[in-house]
Amino acid sequence: MTRIPFGPTYDEMLHPERLDPSLRSQALFALRQNELDPLNLFNITWKNSDNQVRKVVLPPALTGVDANIVVMLGYGFPSGSHKVGPAYSTLMEGLVDGEIIPGVHTILGPSTGNFGIGTAYISNLLGFKAIVIMPDNMSKERYERIQKYGGELELTPGSESDVILTLERTHEMMKNPAYKALAQFELFPNYRFHRHVTGNSAIEAVQGVGNGRVAAFVSAPGSAGTLAAGDQIKAVFPEAKIGALEPYECSTLANGGRGQHRIEGIGDKMCTLIHNVLTTDFIILIRDEETIQGLKVFRDGVEVLTRMGVDRDFALSIRDWFGPSGICNILGAIKIAKFLRLGPGDNVVTVATDGFDRYHSVIEDLDRRYLETAPFVLERWAKDIFLGADDQLVFDVRRADKKERLFQQKEKDWLKFGYSIDFLNAMREAGFWEEQYAKVKVYNEKIAASRQKD
Ligand SMILES: Cc1ncc(COP(=O)(O)O)c(C=O)c1O
């Protein structure tokens, strides 16, 4: 008999504290001892061993705004980023639906890196072979990590903004029945994971912070999975605004712009199929170089930040918790706080998808490009980039005509992959997204039932 692999339900990823205590403690032990122990599937959660959401509340001395900027930290997920959550959810839904079969199928992971790392990792834990399809000039740490987890690489030309080529390659490979793709840009487990697990974790993360509510949620979409957390936040705090962040250099959602940029993981020249544009209120553009300079400040500017009034231990602690897209999300959070005139007590929530471990080469490259990165340079960057962030380049997309542009972008991007216009039109109704979300309950039950058979 085929052995059905085990792993957590959506509810258990949100509430690991409700797992059987011995399973929870064995899983936490595995996290410290052996990252390739399948028990680590039960560590796919935003929560630490004390069952608190891993987060940091940035001080006004760094952000220059009175509102609390609450950043949920993804580096603590197994494999080093929260993208392992959608990878696991997509594979697990396929397994319990009987569409992905152990011993028969090879898993494909179209990605710019972290989803690929997550795909290779989860496939390893569940006994599948994985092929990660990604652009050929991302940071070298990403390829190394995928290979470390036993994933094979299928590289397509270009960088971050050429992810569309990886999608085309994926669809081509999917014609082979031996392959099953965890198609993060178009499959709804990604939406379900982030709406249920990330969204409700965000709501928990602001308990005891400021007024305990969420005034705004911002995230820079790659697949736009993380943005789905905003749908759940809005369901609980209807006043909350959602901001999607894009590289200034590749402003596809804001105004159809296209171009190369350096913020790995985001801004993929498309409106992804799973992006619920109905709930996106603002699109905010962030300059890519500021995210790399900001990362350098976090990494090597402890003394500078301390002089600016940031607690030294705090400045030391954040050195390892961010990559460029995390800095991008912080800049977007500061901008939306300014744009919405948020004050003390208001909370803006965002995420840091991964940590610094996969960006050493990015900072080495910055050091080569700038002749001088002495403390006075880092101080100027910190003041300009964080304290000096303005509320320009914020596009209000709440009006029907602005939404229409986003729907049309989606049609342009997805009709060519065989999705029907009726399906795309269905996404114009809020009910479509509620139906997708309602399936969390169904999969909770299916996953729990398959575990009993295990
Ligand atoms: C570093 C990084 N930041 C941000 C994102 C975007 O997250 P999402 O795909 O959920 O929109 C990704 C996605 O791969 C990523 O790897």
Side-chain angles (χ1 to χ4, degrees):
M1 197 184 80
T2 307
R3 183 174 170 276
I4 298 175
F6 63 100
T9 64
Y10 284 107
D11 274 352
E12 288 166 335
M13 291 188 272
L14 172 60
H15 293 300
E17 67 276 13
R18 296 185 192 163
L19 284 168
D20 171 78
S22 92
L23 175 58
R24 172 94 168 120
S25 65
Q26 283 176 53
L28 288 169
F29 183 74
L31 189 61
R32 293 187 301 272
Q33 294 299 311
N34 174 12
E35 67 168 341
L36 291 178
D37 184 331
L39 277 169
N40 280 297
L41 295 171
F42 292 93
N43 293 318
I44 300 176
T45 174
W46 286 97
K47 292 188 177 163
N48 62 20
S49 53
D50 294 328
N51 300 317
Q52 301 298 309
V53 174
R54 286 182 297 271
K55 66 161 194 240
V56 65
V57 183
L58 300 178
L62 171 66
T63 63
V65 293
D66 292 328
N68 299 305
I69 304 234
V70 181
V71 190
M72 296 164 64
L73 301 171
Y75 75 95
F77 277 81
S79 87
S81 94
H82 72 58
K83 295 292 297 183
V84 75
Y88 165 76
S89 303
T90 312
L91 184 43
M92 191 45 89
E93 283 196 12
L95 279 167
V96 297
D97 284 343
E99 279 168 13
I100 300 180
I101 302 171
V104 172
H105 290 123
T106 292
I107 304 300
L108 304 180
S111 174
T112 51
N114 280 324
F115 187 76
I117 294 171
T119 299
Y121 178 76
I122 289 299
S123 300
N124 184 316
L125 264 46
L126 292 175
F128 286 88
K129 185 178 158 202
I131 304 175
V132 177
I133 306 158
M134 64 188 282
D136 66 3
N137 61 349
M138 307 303 291
S139 71
K140 74 172 174 9
E141 291 88 338
R142 296 180 172 219
Y143 305 117
E144 287 166 3
R145 193 100 173 210
I146 288 165
Q147 284 166 327
K148 179 177 139 195
Y149 293 143
E152 277 179 28
L153 287 166
E154 171 79 17
L155 299 180
T156 55
S159 78
E160 188 58 40
S161 277
D162 297 306
V163 78
I164 201 86
L165 299 178
T166 69
L167 252 179
E168 282 165 6
R169 181 72 58 85
T170 307
H171 276 258
E172 212 176 282
M173 291 174 77
M174 276 160 67
K175 290 181 190 149
N176 180 339
Y179 292 142
K180 288 285 175 184
L182 308 186
Q184 57 163 333
F185 302 97
E186 54 199 293
L187 294 182
F188 288 86
N190 190 4
Y191 179 83
R192 283 188 272 282
F193 172 82
H194 281 297
R195 178 157 174 187
H196 194 64
V197 182
T198 306
N200 286 308
S201 296
I203 292 161
E204 278 192 41
V206 297
Q207 299 313 304
V209 181
N211 62 12
R213 303 178 70 82
V214 180
F217 175 76
V218 297
S219 170
S223 69
T226 311
L227 265 183
D231 286 14
Q232 194 59 9
I233 290 169
K234 273 195 174 178
V236 175
F237 303 119
E239 75 278 18
K241 302 287 180 286
I242 301 181
L245 314 176
E246 275 194 313
Y248 171 80
E249 297 75 14
C250 186
S251 52
T252 309
L253 300 176
N255 54 21
R258 297 162 83 76
Q260 302 293 326
H261 68 89
R262 293 169 182 271
I263 315 176
E264 295 187 37
I266 73 159
D268 294 334
K269 279 188 188 155
M270 70 172 125
C271 180
T272 67
L273 195 74
I274 62 153
H275 182 167
N276 179 9
V277 300
L278 292 172
T279 54
T280 301
D281 298 300
F282 300 103
I283 296 168
I284 305 172
L285 302 186
I286 308 290
R287 291 179 198 273
D288 67 349
E289 191 64 357
E290 294 191 351
T291 70
I292 311 290
Q293 292 173 331
L295 185 62
K296 172 77 177 170
V297 170
F298 271 37
R299 189 67 195 160
D300 294 330
V302 172
E303 304 311 327
V304 166
L305 292 175
T306 309
R307 268 208 302 282
M308 284 165 57
V310 175
D311 177 76
R312 190 182 151 75
D313 287 340
F314 181 89
L316 277 170
S317 69
I318 59 176
R319 292 187 74 226
D320 290 328
W321 294 346
F322 292 87
S325 78
I327 304 290
C328 170
N329 283 353
I330 291 175
L331 296 177
I334 297 173
K335 278 171 173 282
I336 207 165
K338 289 190 174 172
F339 185 83
L340 297 173
R341 309 277 186 273
L342 299 180
D346 291 325
N347 296 317
V348 180
V349 179
T350 189
V351 306
T353 302
D354 56 9
F356 186 72
D357 59 346
R358 51 210 71 190
Y359 299 105
H360 289 276
S361 61
V362 170
I363 292 300
E364 283 159 19
D365 177 62
L366 173 137
D367 289 339
R368 268 195 301 275
R369 287 187 291 119
Y370 286 87
L371 295 178
E372 181 135 43
T373 54
F376 71 89
V377 175
L378 298 192
E379 185 162 344
R380 192 177 72 233
W381 287 355
K383 288 185 173 159
D384 285 355
I385 295 168
F386 296 108
L387 299 181
D390 59 30
D391 60 0
Q392 302 301 300
L393 299 174
V394 176
F395 295 72
D396 186 340
V397 292
R398 287 173 292 181
R399 278 200 348 235
D401 57 330
K402 305 285 179 196
K403 289 268 181 262
E404 188 52 38
R405 224 193 56 70
L406 293 172
F407 284 124
Q408 282 176 14
Q409 178 73 43
K410 199 183 262 194
E411 285 170 21
K412 187 165 153 227
D413 293 332
W414 293 98
L415 286 174
K416 66 179 174 221
F417 287 114
Y419 288 95
S420 73
I421 190 71
D422 287 349
F423 184 65
L424 296 181
N425 281 341
M427 292 187 178
R428 291 169 179 257
E429 304 298 328
F432 174 92
W433 302 93
E434 294 313 311
E435 258 174 47
Q436 289 301 331
Y437 182 52
K439 292 185 190 166
V440 164
K441 195 166 172 290
V442 176
Y443 282 108
N444 276 337
E445 285 162 12
K446 280 189 165 186
I447 295 167
S450 72
R451 226 160 61 204
Q452 276 164 11
K453 278 193 239 154
D454 193 28

